[in-house]
Every structure is written in structure tokens, then in C-alpha cells.
Amino acid sequence: MPGMNYVGRFAPSPTGPLHAGSLVAALASYLDARVHRGQWLVRIEDVDEGRAVPGVAAGMLDLLQRLGMQWDGEVLWQSRRTARYAAAAERLGTHAYACGCNRREIADSRLGIAADGAAIYPGTCRHGLPAGKSLRALRLRVPDPDQPDGVITFEDRCAGPVRQVLAREVGDFVLKRADGYWAYQLAVVVDDAEQGVTDVVRGADLLDSTARQIYLQHLLGYPVPRYLHLPVVRNANGEKLSKQTGAAAISADSADEALAVLCAAARFIGLDVAGAGTLAGFWERALAGWDARFGPAAR
Ligand code: GLU
């Protein structure tokens, strides 16, 4: 599809160095952008400045370059964009409301557990802060199941059709946290839209977040990107690789090491990179493999 408008991105949180799981997201988003002759942007999701580890983002950028993944344009840093998130929250008007509940009060409501493991918000502050409570967080009111957008559906390029009933599966979610940081869900939607992102390629751990993001895109009048969620990389215990589960940091100090980590990530995606003896050989095989599965002709 020559001339097709494609903007992709890789958006790591600099809370720990890249591991095998985040490398899969980087590689897949890079390959998808390149086979569509699009742009590939890198955005450092350091909106939660309390969790960002100094030096980690610079190490990630250095590693991407050593592996041969060069991004287009300037790297965007979420920590520098808080005024944009505030402006978007303002535009949400009465869809957003002040909430004074703490974690314990929400957990005590026993409304159930959302897909992401958080307790579903019982709606205590939906109609105004009750006497004695003061503002802690900003929340988004989600529609009832029978209202427009009450059920969000989309077609994922890898996971297939997805459907989520926001009120039942998520509940009113946080836009600005009690610690003062803007929430991932709002920041990611504002940044994807302002960067003109057309295609989001990331791990399936974020599949559950996508309906929330689509709802916010509708409210803010943003276009909805296409989504591709790849299965997440798990360790031998079946846990998602993350800093919390002790995932090892990727290192690529030599060309051999770089090739080995890239081949492992490609094999996880199911790309045949056998016989790649050099980085150039790897990229040729990986691009051809991705193109056959997810390229313009496969759409
Ligand atoms: N920053 C998120 C993470 O590292 C990814 C965000 C996204 O791709 O939407 O898990």
C-alpha cells in the first residue's frame, strides 16, 4: 500500500531496563512500521516520575540503536507534557469528576475486580464529593452498558475481535492519581493522538486497557488507531516478564550478543530467522517474516 499513512511507536516506561518482553514489543512495533514504510516513534513513558529510574531511559535508547532500531524524529518524554494532559482532562468536562475515596474504601465496596486487578470503583463520588471527603483523584465516568459506548468493540490485528463492557469490567477509572501524576490511560491517548499514531503494536498485557483508551479517544474527538496486541512473554513459572518478576535486563555489548537477543525475540513472535549470521541478515529475514504475516498485503 504505497503512500499509506502509517505512524507507529514504541512507548517504554523507564522503570527498569528493557527485558525480553519489552524487546518483543519494540521489535514488533519497529517491524510493522518498516514493512508499512511508515514512521516509528519512540516515547518515554515517564509520566510517573516517582517510578522512573534515572539513567534507564538513556540506556533503552542506546540499546535500541545498538540493535539497529533507529527511531524517526525526536523522542517524546511524557514528564514534559503534563500541561497537555491537564488540557485534555479539562476538555472532558463533566465526564470527569473529583473522587475522595482511598484504596481501602474502594476495596471494601466489593463490586468486583477489574481485568487489570484493581477493585471496581463503586461510584461513591460520582454525584459530587460527599461531605467530609476531599479531592484525591480525578476519575472518568463510564457509560452504563445500554448507553452509547457502554460496550466498546474493536478488531485487534492479532487477537481478533475484542469486546468490553466498561461499567462491568472496568468501572469509573482514574485520570489523575492521588499522588498527583496523570494516569497512563489519559497520557497514552493524548500522546498517540498528538503524535498522529495510526498503529499501536504492543503486548497483550495492554489489551484490557484498549477499550478505555478508545472511549477516551471518542470523548476527546481523536481518531482510533489500529491495534495489534502480541501474546506476552512469560517466564518458566508462567508469569509475565517484568521487573517485578525479576526479568533479566537485555545486554548487547557485542554484535553476537545483539544478534542473539534479536533472534530470541523474533522466534518468540514466530518469525523464522534461522541462518541469520549478521545483524543485516537478521533484519532481512525478520522484515520478510513480519511482512508475510502482518504486512500491507496481509490486511
Ligand atoms: N508504557 C507502557 C509499558 O511500558 C506501554 C504503553 C503502550 O504501549 O501503550 O508497559
Side-chain angles (χ1 to χ4, degrees), residues 94-106:
T94 55
H95 291 286
Y97 65 89
C99 172
C101 298
N102 60 33
R103 218 176 274 244
R104 145 112 296 146
E105 291 165 323
I106 299 169

Side-chain angles (χ1 to χ4, degrees), residues 9-15 22 25 43-45 78 184 188 192 200-203 205-206 213 240:
R9 56 32 162 216
F10 172 53
S13 304
T15 52
S22 35
R43 180 168 76 227
I44 300 295
E45 299 213 319
Q78 287 192 327
Y184 157 71
V188 79
D192 282 342
V200 172
V201 176
R202 59 189 179 189
D205 52 321
L206 292 166
Q213 293 171 16
K240 178 194 154 218

Side-chain angles (χ1 to χ4, degrees), residues 180-196:
Y181 294 126
W182 292 99
Y184 157 71
Q185 306 293 353
L186 180 68
V188 79
V189 163
V190 172
D191 291 344
D192 282 342
E194 294 192 0
Q195 293 190 285

Side-chain angles (χ1 to χ4, degrees), residues 117-226:
I120 292 182
Y121 184 65
T124 319
C125 302
R126 253 191 162 206
H127 307 289
L129 277 177
K133 277 195 190 289
S134 54
L135 187 153
R136 287 174 54 87
L138 194 63
R139 273 183 196 277
L140 190 75
R141 197 185 303 279
V142 301
D144 289 339
D146 57 355
Q147 285 178 333
D149 268 348
V151 183
I152 299 283
T153 58
F154 65 98
E155 181 72 25
D156 189 89
R157 290 172 55 206
C158 183
V162 179
R163 176 178 190 279
Q164 195 175 59
V165 183
L166 287 173
R168 250 183 250 135
E169 295 172 68
V170 180
D172 292 352
F173 57 92
V174 171
L175 298 173
K176 191 177 191 189
R177 302 170 2 179
D179 58 14
Y181 294 126
W182 292 99
Y184 157 71
Q185 306 293 353
L186 180 68
V188 79
V189 163
V190 172
D191 291 344
D192 282 342
E194 294 192 0
Q195 293 190 285
V197 169
T198 61
D199 286 77
V200 172
V201 176
R202 59 189 179 189
D205 52 321
L206 292 166
L207 194 54
D208 280 331
S209 290
T210 308
R212 261 170 283 181
Q213 293 171 16
I214 291 175
Y215 182 50
L216 277 169
Q217 287 152 2
H218 289 171
L219 291 178
L220 291 166
Y222 293 148
V224 178
R226 287 174 289 260

